[in-house]
Amino acid sequence: MKHIRYIFLLVFCTSSIAYSQCDTIKAIYKGESYQKQLEIKYPGYAIEHEISGVVEYKFYIDSNGCLDSLFIINSPHEILSEEVKRAISTLKCNWTPHNSWIFDKFDFVYQ
């Protein structure tokens, strides 16, 4: 049986700081780390075709604690990008207000 492993790395940046100069922090959604609440599923097409890799993305949390924008920075395949976008987009509001960008990545590992 194949195993699926997910890896998260979270980085927080203000829009004026370069990606390489960001500080690691927790993005809080409804009182806990948002990764615990994400329901990311390994897409069937990706499993069938053994597609894996890291999807890097960023999203903006406004001063009201709402998800404002979501962008894929880098991805090995569009099917993995779409799953990350779908999962994060379900977490609309109830974030701890940041008024800044959150950079993160999700590792789809097919073993």
Side-chain angles (χ1 to χ4, degrees), residues 14-64:
T14 62
S15 56
S16 62
I17 297 177
Y19 180 73
S20 62
Q21 299 174 342
C22 300
D23 296 322
T24 301
I25 63 123
K26 286 185 177 180
I28 305 300
Y29 180 79
K30 289 188 177 178
E32 63 182 345
S33 175
Y34 86 96
Q35 293 99 336
K36 293 179 182 178
Q37 299 182 48
L38 276 182
E39 294 184 18
I40 293 184
K41 298 174 177 79
Y42 211 113
Y45 179 87
I47 292 171
E48 291 169 14
H49 293 88
E50 298 183 11
I51 299 168
S52 62
V54 177
V55 177
E56 296 176 336
Y57 57 92
K58 68 179 182 176
F59 57 96
Y60 191 83
I61 304 301
D62 66 19
S63 59
N64 295 317

